Amino acid sequence: MAIRHRYLVSYDIADPKRLRKVAKTCESFGSRLQYSVFECPLDDLRFQKLRSELDTIIHHDDDQVLFVSLGAESSSNPVRIETLGQPYTVRSRVTII
């Protein structure tokens, strides 16, 4: 069984058409935390697949995608989300742009 790591995936995309494609791609790999932020539990193969798919969508001179490792997915390493301001709620899977 492959070890899955949790990744925080965040992006800043200059073009609305590419932005929608990036959002749709991320939706198929994880859960939306905010409009441009996803939490994705991925093994190494799925992580490389996500990177590869996003690599073909973005323009490297104009856009940026960040991948932040949150560590191995396990019951001893639960996702902990704290907020300031509005309380955190799970976003719908509908892409709003």
Side-chain angles (χ1 to χ4, degrees):
M1 181 174 177
I3 296 174
R4 294 190 334 173
H5 288 264
R6 290 190 323 260
Y7 291 91
L8 190 68
V9 180
S10 176
Y11 49 85
D12 187 6
I13 308 299
D15 176 73
K17 187 175 180 181
R18 288 194 312 272
L19 178 64
R20 285 188 291 277
K21 287 182 180 180
V22 167
K24 285 287 192 190
T25 300
C26 288
E27 284 175 349
S28 65
F29 285 88
S31 302
R32 184 186 297 272
L33 299 180
Q34 291 186 324
Y35 292 116
S36 296
V37 180
F38 285 80
E39 187 262 332
C40 302
L42 306 168
D43 60 26
D44 289 341
L45 185 61
R46 296 271 297 158
F47 178 69
Q48 291 306 322
K49 182 170 174 48
L50 174 60
R51 282 185 56 101
S52 176
E53 288 186 25
L54 294 176
D55 188 49
T56 64
I57 298 169
I58 71 167
H59 288 186
H60 292 261
D61 292 336
D62 301 324
D63 304 330
Q64 182 183 63
V65 179
L66 297 176
F67 300 94
V68 179
S69 175
L70 300 175
E73 181 182 53
S74 70
S75 59
S76 64
N77 186 16
V79 174
R80 180 177 166 186
I81 299 174
E82 295 184 24
T83 65
L84 295 174
Q86 296 181 5
Y88 172 73
T89 57
V90 175
R91 302 284 182 188
S92 69
R93 295 189 66 83
V94 177
T95 303
I96 302 172
I97 312 271

Coordinates of all heavy atoms in Angstrom, one line a residue:
M1 N 0.8 -1.2 0.0 CA 0.0 0.0 0.0 C 0.9 1.2 0.0 O 1.8 1.4 0.8 CB -0.9 0.0 1.2 CG -1.8 1.2 1.3 SD -2.9 0.9 2.7 CE -3.8 2.4 2.7
A2 N 0.7 2.1 -0.9 CA 1.5 3.3 -1.1 C 1.1 4.3 0.1 O -0.1 4.5 0.4 CB 1.2 4.0 -2.4
I3 N 2.1 5.0 0.6 CA 1.9 6.0 1.6 C 1.4 7.3 0.9 O 1.9 7.7 0.0 CB 3.2 6.3 2.4 CG1 3.6 5.0 3.1 CG2 3.0 7.4 3.3 CD1 5.0 5.2 3.8
R4 N 0.3 7.8 1.5 CA -0.3 9.0 1.0 C 0.1 10.2 1.9 O 0.2 10.0 3.1 CB -1.8 9.0 0.9 CG -2.3 7.9 -0.1 CD -3.7 8.0 -0.5 NE -4.6 8.5 0.5 CZ -5.9 8.6 0.3 NH1 -6.4 8.4 -0.9 NH2 -6.7 9.1 1.2
H5 N 0.5 11.3 1.2 CA 0.8 12.5 1.9 C -0.2 13.5 1.6 O -0.8 13.5 0.6 CB 2.2 13.0 1.5 CG 3.4 12.3 2.0 ND1 4.1 12.6 3.1 CD2 3.9 11.1 1.5 CE1 5.0 11.7 3.3 NE2 4.9 10.8 2.4
R6 N -0.5 14.4 2.6 CA -1.4 15.5 2.3 C -0.7 16.7 1.8 O 0.4 17.0 2.3 CB -2.2 15.8 3.6 CG -3.1 14.8 4.1 CD -4.0 15.3 5.2 NE -3.3 16.1 6.1 CZ -2.8 15.7 7.3 NH1 -2.9 14.5 7.7 NH2 -2.2 16.6 8.1
Y7 N -1.2 17.3 0.8 CA -0.6 18.5 0.2 C -1.6 19.6 0.2 O -2.8 19.4 -0.1 CB -0.2 18.2 -1.3 CG 1.0 17.3 -1.4 CD1 0.8 15.9 -1.5 CD2 2.3 17.7 -1.4 CE1 1.8 15.0 -1.6 CE2 3.4 16.9 -1.5 CZ 3.1 15.5 -1.6 OH 4.2 14.7 -1.7
L8 N -1.1 20.8 0.5 CA -1.9 22.0 0.3 C -1.5 22.5 -1.0 O -0.3 22.7 -1.3 CB -1.5 23.0 1.4 CG -2.4 24.2 1.5 CD1 -3.8 23.8 2.0 CD2 -1.8 25.2 2.5
V9 N -2.5 22.6 -1.9 CA -2.2 23.1 -3.3 C -2.9 24.5 -3.4 O -4.1 24.6 -3.2 CB -2.7 22.1 -4.4 CG1 -2.4 22.6 -5.8 CG2 -2.1 20.7 -4.1
S10 N -2.1 25.5 -3.8 CA -2.6 26.8 -3.9 C -2.1 27.4 -5.3 O -1.0 27.0 -5.7 CB -2.1 27.7 -2.8 OG -2.5 29.0 -2.9
Y11 N -2.9 28.2 -5.9 CA -2.5 28.7 -7.2 C -2.9 30.2 -7.4 O -3.8 30.7 -6.8 CB -3.1 27.8 -8.3 CG -4.6 27.6 -8.2 CD1 -5.5 28.5 -8.7 CD2 -5.0 26.4 -7.6 CE1 -6.9 28.2 -8.5 CE2 -6.4 26.1 -7.5 CZ -7.3 27.0 -8.0 OH -8.6 26.7 -7.9
D12 N -2.2 30.8 -8.3 CA -2.4 32.2 -8.7 C -2.3 32.2 -10.2 O -1.2 32.0 -10.7 CB -1.4 33.1 -8.1 CG -1.7 34.6 -8.4 OD1 -2.7 34.9 -9.0 OD2 -0.8 35.4 -8.0
I13 N -3.4 32.2 -10.9 CA -3.4 32.0 -12.4 C -3.9 33.3 -13.0 O -5.0 33.8 -12.6 CB -4.4 30.8 -12.7 CG1 -4.0 29.6 -12.0 CG2 -4.3 30.6 -14.2 CD1 -2.6 29.1 -12.2
A14 N -3.2 33.8 -14.0 CA -3.5 35.1 -14.6 C -4.7 35.1 -15.5 O -5.4 36.2 -15.6 CB -2.2 35.6 -15.3
D15 N -5.0 34.0 -16.2 CA -6.0 34.0 -17.2 C -7.2 33.2 -16.7 O -7.1 32.1 -16.2 CB -5.5 33.3 -18.5 CG -6.5 33.1 -19.5 OD1 -6.9 34.1 -20.2 OD2 -7.0 32.0 -19.7
P16 N -8.4 33.8 -16.8 CA -9.6 33.1 -16.3 C -9.9 31.7 -16.9 O -10.3 30.8 -16.2 CB -10.8 34.1 -16.6 CG -10.1 35.4 -16.8 CD -8.8 35.1 -17.3
K17 N -9.6 31.5 -18.1 CA -9.8 30.2 -18.8 C -8.9 29.2 -18.2 O -9.3 28.1 -17.8 CB -9.6 30.3 -20.3 CG -9.9 29.1 -21.0 CD -9.8 29.3 -22.5 CE -10.2 28.0 -23.3 NZ -10.1 28.1 -24.7
R18 N -7.6 29.5 -18.0 CA -6.6 28.6 -17.4 C -7.0 28.4 -15.9 O -6.9 27.3 -15.4 CB -5.2 29.2 -17.5 CG -4.6 29.1 -18.9 CD -3.1 29.3 -18.9 NE -2.6 30.4 -18.1 CZ -2.5 31.7 -18.6 NH1 -2.9 31.9 -19.9 NH2 -2.0 32.6 -17.8
L19 N -7.5 29.5 -15.2 CA -7.9 29.4 -13.8 C -9.0 28.3 -13.7 O -8.9 27.5 -12.8 CB -8.3 30.7 -13.3 CG -8.8 30.8 -11.9 CD1 -7.7 30.5 -10.9 CD2 -9.4 32.2 -11.6
R20 N -10.0 28.3 -14.5 CA -11.0 27.3 -14.4 C -10.5 25.9 -14.7 O -10.9 25.0 -14.0 CB -12.1 27.7 -15.5 CG -13.0 28.8 -15.0 CD -14.2 29.0 -15.9 NE -13.9 29.5 -17.3 CZ -13.6 30.7 -17.6 NH1 -13.7 31.7 -16.7 NH2 -13.3 31.0 -18.9
K21 N -9.6 25.8 -15.6 CA -9.0 24.4 -15.9 C -8.2 23.9 -14.7 O -8.2 22.8 -14.3 CB -8.1 24.5 -17.1 CG -8.9 24.6 -18.4 CD -7.9 24.6 -19.6 CE -8.7 24.7 -20.9 NZ -7.7 24.6 -22.1
V22 N -7.4 24.8 -14.1 CA -6.6 24.5 -12.9 C -7.6 24.1 -11.8 O -7.4 23.0 -11.1 CB -5.7 25.6 -12.5 CG1 -5.1 25.4 -11.1 CG2 -4.6 25.8 -13.5
A23 N -8.6 24.8 -11.5 CA -9.6 24.5 -10.5 C -10.2 23.2 -10.7 O -10.3 22.3 -9.8 CB -10.6 25.6 -10.3
K24 N -10.7 22.9 -11.9 CA -11.3 21.6 -12.2 C -10.3 20.5 -12.0 O -10.7 19.4 -11.5 CB -11.8 21.6 -13.7 CG -13.1 22.4 -13.9 CD -14.2 21.7 -13.3 CE -15.5 22.3 -13.8 NZ -16.6 21.8 -13.0
T25 N -9.1 20.6 -12.4 CA -8.1 19.6 -12.2 C -7.9 19.3 -10.7 O -7.9 18.2 -10.3 CB -6.8 20.0 -12.9 OG1 -7.0 20.2 -14.3 CG2 -5.7 19.0 -12.7
C26 N -7.7 20.4 -9.9 CA -7.5 20.2 -8.5 C -8.7 19.5 -7.8 O -8.6 18.7 -6.9 CB -7.2 21.5 -7.8 SG -5.6 22.2 -8.2
E27 N -9.9 19.9 -8.3 CA -11.1 19.2 -7.8 C -11.1 17.7 -7.9 O -11.7 17.0 -7.1 CB -12.4 19.8 -8.4 CG -12.8 21.2 -8.0 CD -13.9 21.8 -8.7 OE1 -14.3 21.2 -9.8 OE2 -14.4 22.8 -8.3
S28 N -10.5 17.2 -8.9 CA -10.5 15.8 -9.1 C -9.4 15.1 -8.3 O -9.3 13.9 -8.2 CB -10.3 15.4 -10.6 OG -9.0 15.9 -11.1
F29 N -8.6 15.9 -7.6 CA -7.5 15.3 -6.7 C -7.7 15.5 -5.2 O -7.0 14.9 -4.4 CB -6.2 15.8 -7.2 CG -5.7 15.3 -8.4 CD1 -6.0 15.8 -9.7 CD2 -4.8 14.1 -8.4 CE1 -5.5 15.3 -10.9 CE2 -4.3 13.6 -9.6 CZ -4.7 14.2 -10.8
G30 N -8.6 16.5 -4.9 CA -8.7 16.8 -3.5 C -9.9 17.6 -3.1 O -10.8 17.7 -3.9
S31 N -9.9 18.2 -2.0 CA -11.0 19.0 -1.4 C -10.7 20.5 -1.4 O -9.6 20.9 -1.0 CB -11.4 18.6 0.0 OG -11.7 17.2 0.0
R32 N -11.6 21.3 -1.9 CA -11.4 22.7 -1.9 C -11.5 23.3 -0.4 O -12.5 23.0 0.3 CB -12.5 23.4 -2.7 CG -12.3 24.9 -2.9 CD -13.4 25.5 -3.6 NE -13.5 25.0 -5.0 CZ -12.9 25.6 -6.0 NH1 -12.1 26.6 -5.9 NH2 -13.1 25.1 -7.3
L33 N -10.5 24.0 0.0 CA -10.5 24.7 1.3 C -11.0 26.1 1.2 O -11.7 26.6 2.0 CB -9.2 24.6 2.0 CG -8.7 23.2 2.3 CD1 -7.3 23.3 3.0 CD2 -9.6 22.4 3.1
Q34 N -10.5 26.8 0.1 CA -10.8 28.1 -0.2 C -10.9 28.2 -1.8 O -10.6 27.2 -2.4 CB -9.9 29.2 0.3 CG -10.0 29.3 1.8 CD -9.1 30.4 2.4 OE1 -8.0 30.7 1.9 NE2 -9.6 31.1 3.4
Y35 N -11.2 29.3 -2.3 CA -11.3 29.4 -3.8 C -10.1 28.9 -4.6 O -10.3 28.3 -5.6 CB -11.7 30.8 -4.2 CG -13.1 31.2 -3.7 CD1 -13.3 32.2 -2.8 CD2 -14.2 30.4 -4.1 CE1 -14.6 32.5 -2.4 CE2 -15.5 30.7 -3.7 CZ -15.7 31.8 -2.8 OH -16.9 32.1 -2.4
S36 N -8.9 29.2 -4.1 CA -7.7 28.8 -4.8 C -6.8 27.9 -4.0 O -5.6 27.9 -4.2 CB -6.9 30.0 -5.3 OG -7.7 30.7 -6.2
V37 N -7.4 27.2 -3.0 CA -6.6 26.3 -2.1 C -7.3 25.0 -2.0 O -8.5 24.9 -1.7 CB -6.5 27.0 -0.7 CG1 -5.7 26.1 0.2 CG2 -5.9 28.4 -0.8
F38 N -6.5 23.9 -2.1 CA -7.0 22.6 -2.0 C -6.2 21.8 -1.1 O -5.0 22.0 -1.0 CB -7.0 21.9 -3.4 CG -8.1 22.3 -4.3 CD1 -8.0 23.5 -5.0 CD2 -9.3 21.6 -4.5 CE1 -9.0 23.9 -5.8 CE2 -10.3 22.0 -5.3 CZ -10.1 23.2 -6.0
E39 N -6.8 20.8 -0.4 CA -6.1 19.8 0.4 C -6.2 18.5 -0.3 O -7.3 18.1 -0.6 CB -6.7 19.7 1.8 CG -5.9 18.8 2.8 CD -6.4 17.4 2.9 OE1 -7.6 17.2 2.7 OE2 -5.6 16.5 3.1
C40 N -5.1 17.9 -0.7 CA -5.1 16.7 -1.6 C -4.3 15.6 -0.9 O -3.0 15.7 -0.8 CB -4.5 17.1 -2.9 SG -5.3 18.4 -3.8
P41 N -4.9 14.5 -0.6 CA -4.2 13.3 -0.1 C -3.7 12.5 -1.3 O -4.5 12.0 -2.0 CB -5.2 12.6 0.7 CG -6.5 13.0 0.2 CD -6.4 14.4 -0.4
L42 N -2.4 12.4 -1.5 CA -1.9 11.8 -2.7 C -0.7 10.9 -2.4 O 0.2 11.2 -1.6 CB -1.4 12.9 -3.7 CG -2.3 14.0 -4.0 CD1 -1.6 15.2 -4.7 CD2 -3.4 13.5 -4.9
D43 N -0.7 9.7 -3.1 CA 0.5 9.0 -3.1 C 1.5 9.5 -4.1 O 1.1 10.5 -4.8 CB 0.3 7.5 -3.3 CG -0.4 7.2 -4.7 OD1 -0.2 8.0 -5.6 OD2 -1.1 6.2 -4.8
D44 N 2.7 9.0 -4.2 CA 3.7 9.6 -5.1 C 3.2 9.7 -6.6 O 3.4 10.6 -7.3 CB 5.0 8.9 -5.0 CG 5.7 9.1 -3.7 OD1 5.4 10.1 -3.0 OD2 6.6 8.3 -3.4
L45 N 2.6 8.6 -7.0 CA 2.1 8.5 -8.4 C 1.0 9.6 -8.7 O 1.1 10.3 -9.7 CB 1.6 7.1 -8.7 CG 1.2 6.8 -10.2 CD1 2.3 7.0 -11.1 CD2 0.6 5.4 -10.3
R46 N 0.1 9.7 -7.8 CA -1.0 10.7 -8.0 C -0.4 12.1 -7.9 O -0.9 13.0 -8.6 CB -2.1 10.5 -7.0 CG -2.9 9.2 -7.1 CD -4.0 9.3 -8.0 NE -5.1 10.2 -7.5 CZ -6.0 10.7 -8.3 NH1 -6.0 10.4 -9.6 NH2 -6.9 11.5 -7.9
F47 N 0.6 12.3 -7.0 CA 1.2 13.6 -6.9 C 1.8 14.0 -8.2 O 1.7 15.1 -8.7 CB 2.2 13.7 -5.8 CG 2.9 15.0 -5.6 CD1 2.3 16.1 -5.2 CD2 4.3 15.1 -6.0 CE1 2.9 17.3 -5.1 CE2 4.9 16.3 -5.9 CZ 4.3 17.4 -5.4
Q48 N 2.6 13.1 -8.8 CA 3.2 13.4 -10.1 C 2.2 13.6 -11.2 O 2.4 14.4 -12.1 CB 4.2 12.2 -10.5 CG 5.4 12.1 -9.6 CD 6.2 13.4 -9.5 OE1 6.3 14.2 -10.5 NE2 6.7 13.8 -8.3
K49 N 1.1 12.9 -11.2 CA 0.0 13.0 -12.1 C -0.6 14.4 -12.0 O -0.8 15.1 -13.0 CB -1.0 12.0 -12.0 CG -2.2 12.0 -13.0 CD -3.0 10.8 -12.9 CE -4.3 10.9 -13.8 NZ -4.1 11.3 -15.2
L50 N -0.9 14.9 -10.8 CA -1.4 16.2 -10.6 C -0.4 17.3 -11.1 O -0.8 18.2 -11.8 CB -1.7 16.4 -9.1 CG -2.1 17.9 -8.7 CD1 -3.4 18.3 -9.5 CD2 -2.3 18.0 -7.2
R51 N 0.8 17.1 -10.7 CA 1.9 18.1 -11.2 C 1.9 18.1 -12.7 O 2.0 19.2 -13.3 CB 3.2 17.8 -10.6 CG 3.4 18.2 -9.2 CD 4.9 17.9 -8.8 NE 5.8 18.5 -9.6 CZ 6.5 19.7 -9.4 NH1 6.3 20.3 -8.2 NH2 7.3 20.2 -10.2
S52 N 1.9 17.0 -13.3 CA 2.0 16.9 -14.8 C 0.8 17.5 -15.4 O 1.0 18.3 -16.4 CB 2.1 15.4 -15.2 OG 2.1 15.3 -16.6
E53 N -0.4 17.3 -14.9 CA -1.6 17.9 -15.5 C -1.6 19.4 -15.4 O -1.9 20.1 -16.4 CB -2.9 17.3 -14.9 CG -3.1 15.8 -15.4 CD -4.4 15.3 -14.8 OE1 -5.4 16.1 -14.6 OE2 -4.5 14.0 -14.8
L54 N -1.2 19.9 -14.2 CA -1.2 21.3 -14.0 C -0.1 22.0 -14.9 O -0.2 23.1 -15.4 CB -1.0 21.7 -12.5 CG -2.2 21.3 -11.7 CD1 -1.8 21.5 -10.2 CD2 -3.4 22.0 -12.1
D55 N 1.0 21.2 -15.0 CA 2.2 21.7 -15.8 C 1.7 22.0 -17.3 O 2.3 22.9 -17.9 CB 3.3 20.7 -15.8 CG 4.6 21.3 -16.4 OD1 5.0 22.4 -16.1 OD2 5.1 20.5 -17.3
T56 N 0.8 21.2 -17.8 CA 0.4 21.4 -19.2 C -0.6 22.5 -19.3 O -0.9 23.0 -20.4 CB -0.2 20.1 -19.8 OG1 -1.4 19.8 -19.0 CG2 0.8 19.0 -19.7
I57 N -1.2 23.0 -18.2 CA -2.3 24.0 -18.2 C -1.7 25.4 -18.0 O -2.0 26.3 -18.8 CB -3.3 23.8 -17.2 CG1 -4.1 22.4 -17.4 CG2 -4.3 24.9 -17.1 CD1 -4.9 22.0 -16.2
I58 N -0.8 25.5 -17.1 CA -0.3 26.9 -16.7 C 0.7 27.4 -17.7 O 1.3 26.7 -18.4 CB 0.3 26.9 -15.3 CG1 1.6 26.2 -15.2 CG2 -0.7 26.3 -14.2 CD1 2.4 26.4 -13.9
H59 N 0.8 28.8 -17.7 CA 1.9 29.5 -18.4 C 2.9 29.8 -17.3 O 2.6 30.6 -16.4 CB 1.3 30.7 -19.0 CG 0.5 30.4 -20.2 ND1 0.0 31.4 -21.0 CD2 0.0 29.3 -20.8 CE1 -0.7 30.9 -22.0 NE2 -0.7 29.6 -21.9
H60 N 4.1 29.3 -17.5 CA 5.1 29.4 -16.5 C 5.6 30.8 -16.2 O 6.1 31.1 -15.1 CB 6.3 28.4 -16.8 CG 5.9 27.0 -16.7 ND1 6.1 26.2 -15.6 CD2 5.2 26.2 -17.5 CE1 5.7 25.0 -15.7 NE2 5.1 25.0 -16.9
D61 N 5.4 31.7 -17.2 CA 5.8 33.1 -17.0 C 4.8 33.9 -16.3 O 5.1 35.0 -15.7 CB 6.2 33.7 -18.4 CG 7.4 33.1 -19.0 OD1 8.3 32.6 -18.3 OD2 7.5 33.2 -20.2
D62 N 3.5 33.5 -16.3 CA 2.4 34.3 -15.7 C 1.8 33.7 -14.5 O 1.1 34.4 -13.7 CB 1.3 34.4 -16.8 CG 1.8 35.1 -18.1 OD1 2.7 36.0 -18.0 OD2 1.4 34.7 -19.2
D63 N 1.8 32.4 -14.3 CA 1.1 31.7 -13.3 C 2.0 31.0 -12.3 O 3.2 30.9 -12.5 CB 0.2 30.6 -13.9 CG -0.7 31.1 -15.0 OD1 -1.1 32.3 -15.0 OD2 -1.0 30.3 -16.0
Q64 N 1.4 30.7 -11.1 CA 2.1 30.0 -10.1 C 1.2 28.9 -9.4 O 0.1 29.3 -9.1 CB 2.7 30.9 -9.1 CG 3.5 30.3 -8.0 CD 4.0 31.3 -6.9 OE1 3.1 31.8 -6.3 NE2 5.3 31.4 -6.8
V65 N 1.7 27.8 -9.1 CA 1.1 26.7 -8.3 C 2.0 26.4 -7.2 O 3.2 26.1 -7.5 CB 0.7 25.5 -9.2 CG1 0.0 24.4 -8.3 CG2 -0.2 25.9 -10.3
L66 N 1.5 26.4 -6.0 CA 2.3 26.0 -4.8 C 1.9 24.6 -4.3 O 0.7 24.4 -4.2 CB 2.2 27.0 -3.7 CG 2.7 28.4 -4.0 CD1 2.4 29.3 -2.8 CD2 4.2 28.4 -4.3
F67 N 2.8 23.7 -4.0 CA 2.5 22.5 -3.4 C 3.2 22.5 -2.0 O 4.5 22.5 -2.0 CB 3.1 21.3 -4.2 CG 2.5 21.2 -5.6 CD1 3.2 21.9 -6.6 CD2 1.4 20.6 -5.9 CE1 2.7 21.8 -7.9 CE2 0.8 20.5 -7.1 CZ 1.5 21.1 -8.2
V68 N 2.5 22.4 -0.9 CA 3.0 22.4 0.4 C 2.7 21.0 1.1 O 1.5 20.7 1.2 CB 2.4 23.5 1.3 CG1 3.0 23.5 2.7 CG2 2.7 24.9 0.6
S69 N 3.7 20.3 1.4 CA 3.5 19.0 2.0 C 3.1 19.2 3.5 O 3.7 19.9 4.2 CB 4.8 18.1 2.0 OG 4.6 17.0 2.7
L70 N 1.9 18.5 3.8 CA 1.4 18.6 5.2 C 1.8 17.3 6.0 O 1.3 17.1 7.1 CB -0.1 18.8 5.2 CG -0.6 20.1 4.5 CD1 -2.1 20.1 4.5 CD2 0.0 21.3 5.2
G71 N 2.6 16.5 5.4 CA 3.0 15.2 6.0 C 2.1 14.0 5.6 O 1.2 14.2 4.9
A72 N 2.5 12.9 6.2 CA 1.8 11.7 5.9 C 0.4 11.7 6.4 O 0.1 12.2 7.5 CB 2.6 10.5 6.5
E73 N -0.5 11.1 5.6 CA -1.9 11.0 6.0 C -2.1 9.9 7.0 O -1.7 8.7 6.7 CB -2.8 10.8 4.8 CG -4.3 10.7 5.1 CD -5.1 10.4 3.9 OE1 -4.8 9.5 3.2 OE2 -6.0 11.2 3.7
S74 N -2.5 10.2 8.2 CA -2.7 9.1 9.3 C -3.6 9.7 10.4 O -3.8 10.9 10.5 CB -1.3 8.7 9.9 OG -0.8 9.7 10.7
S75 N -4.1 8.7 11.2 CA -4.9 9.1 12.3 C -4.2 9.9 13.3 O -4.7 10.7 14.1 CB -5.6 7.9 12.9 OG -4.6 7.0 13.3
S76 N -2.8 9.7 13.4 CA -2.0 10.4 14.4 C -1.6 11.8 13.9 O -1.0 12.6 14.6 CB -0.8 9.6 14.8 OG 0.0 9.4 13.6
N77 N -1.9 12.1 12.6 CA -1.5 13.4 12.0 C -2.8 14.0 11.3 O -2.9 14.1 10.1 CB -0.4 13.2 11.0 CG 0.1 14.5 10.4 OD1 -0.2 15.6 11.0 ND2 0.8 14.5 9.3
P78 N -3.8 14.3 12.1 CA -5.1 14.8 11.5 C -4.9 16.2 10.9 O -4.1 16.9 11.3 CB -6.1 14.8 12.7 CG -5.2 15.0 13.9 CD -3.9 14.3 13.6
V79 N -5.8 16.5 10.0 CA -5.9 17.8 9.4 C -6.4 18.7 10.5 O -7.5 18.5 11.1 CB -6.8 17.9 8.2 CG1 -6.9 19.3 7.7 CG2 -6.2 17.0 7.1
R80 N -5.7 19.8 10.7 CA -6.2 20.8 11.7 C -6.3 22.1 11.0 O -5.3 22.6 10.4 CB -5.1 20.9 12.9 CG -5.5 21.9 13.9 CD -4.5 21.9 15.0 NE -4.7 23.0 15.8 CZ -3.9 23.4 16.8 NH1 -2.8 22.7 17.1 NH2 -4.1 24.5 17.5
I81 N -7.5 22.7 11.0 CA -7.8 23.9 10.3 C -8.3 24.9 11.4 O -9.2 24.7 12.1 CB -8.8 23.7 9.2 CG1 -8.3 22.8 8.2 CG2 -9.2 25.1 8.6 CD1 -9.3 22.4 7.1
E82 N -7.6 26.1 11.5 CA -8.0 27.1 12.3 C -8.2 28.4 11.5 O -7.6 28.5 10.4 CB -6.9 27.5 13.4 CG -6.7 26.3 14.4 CD -5.7 26.7 15.4 OE1 -5.5 27.9 15.7 OE2 -5.1 25.8 16.0
T83 N -9.2 29.2 11.9 CA -9.5 30.4 11.1 C -9.4 31.7 11.9 O -9.6 31.6 13.1 CB -10.9 30.3 10.5 OG1 -11.9 30.3 11.5 CG2 -11.1 29.0 9.6
L84 N -9.3 32.8 11.2 CA -9.5 34.1 11.8 C -10.6 34.7 10.9 O -10.6 34.5 9.7 CB -8.2 34.9 11.7 CG -7.0 34.5 12.5 CD1 -5.8 35.3 12.2 CD2 -7.4 34.6 14.0
G85 N -11.5 35.4 11.4 CA -12.5 36.0 10.6 C -13.7 35.0 10.5 O -14.0 34.3 11.4
Q86 N -14.2 34.9 9.3 CA -15.3 34.0 9.0 C -14.9 32.6 9.3 O -13.8 32.1 9.1 CB -15.7 34.1 7.5 CG -16.2 35.4 7.1 CD -16.6 35.4 5.6 OE1 -16.6 34.4 5.0 NE2 -17.0 36.6 5.2
P87 N -15.9 31.8 9.9 CA -15.6 30.4 10.2 C -15.4 29.6 9.0 O -15.9 29.9 7.9 CB -16.8 29.9 11.0 CG -17.9 30.9 10.6 CD -17.2 32.2 10.2
Y88 N -14.6 28.5 9.1 CA -14.3 27.6 8.0 C -15.5 26.8 7.7 O -16.1 26.2 8.6 CB -13.1 26.8 8.3 CG -12.9 25.7 7.2 CD1 -12.4 26.1 5.9 CD2 -13.3 24.4 7.4 CE1 -12.3 25.1 4.9 CE2 -13.1 23.4 6.4 CZ -12.6 23.8 5.2 OH -12.5 22.9 4.2
T89 N -15.9 26.7 6.4 CA -16.9 25.7 6.0 C -16.4 25.1 4.7 O -15.6 25.7 3.9 CB -18.2 26.4 5.6 OG1 -18.0 27.4 4.7 CG2 -18.8 27.1 6.9
V90 N -16.8 23.9 4.5 CA -16.4 23.2 3.2 C -17.0 23.9 2.0 O -18.2 24.1 2.0 CB -16.8 21.7 3.3 CG1 -16.5 21.0 2.0 CG2 -16.1 21.0 4.5
R91 N -16.2 24.2 1.1 CA -16.7 24.9 -0.1 C -17.4 23.9 -1.0 O -17.0 22.7 -1.1 CB -15.5 25.5 -0.9 CG -14.8 26.5 -0.1 CD -15.5 27.8 0.0 NE -14.7 28.8 0.7 CZ -15.2 29.9 1.1 NH1 -16.4 30.3 0.8 NH2 -14.4 30.8 1.8
S92 N -18.3 24.3 -1.8 CA -19.0 23.5 -2.8 C -18.0 23.1 -3.8 O -16.9 23.7 -4.0 CB -20.2 24.1 -3.4 OG -19.7 25.2 -4.3
R93 N -18.2 22.0 -4.6 CA -17.4 21.6 -5.7 C -17.6 22.4 -6.9 O -17.0 22.1 -7.9 CB -17.5 20.1 -5.9 CG -17.1 19.3 -4.7 CD -17.1 17.8 -5.0 NE -16.1 17.4 -5.9 CZ -14.8 17.2 -5.7 NH1 -14.3 17.4 -4.5 NH2 -14.0 16.8 -6.6
V94 N -18.5 23.4 -6.9 CA -18.7 24.2 -8.0 C -17.6 25.3 -8.1 O -17.3 26.0 -7.1 CB -20.1 24.9 -7.9 CG1 -20.3 25.9 -9.1 CG2 -21.2 23.9 -7.8
T95 N -17.0 25.4 -9.3 CA -16.0 26.4 -9.5 C -16.7 27.8 -9.8 O -17.5 27.9 -10.7 CB -15.1 26.0 -10.7 OG1 -14.6 24.8 -10.4 CG2 -14.0 27.0 -10.9
I96 N -16.4 28.7 -8.9 CA -16.9 30.1 -9.1 C -15.8 31.0 -9.5 O -14.8 31.2 -8.7 CB -17.6 30.6 -7.8 CG1 -18.7 29.6 -7.3 CG2 -18.1 32.0 -7.9 CD1 -19.2 29.9 -6.0
I97 N -15.9 31.6 -10.6 CA -14.8 32.5 -11.1 C -15.5 33.8 -11.6 O -16.5 33.7 -12.3 CB -14.0 31.9 -12.3 CG1 -13.6 30.5 -11.9 CG2 -12.9 32.8 -12.7 CD1 -12.3 30.3 -11.2

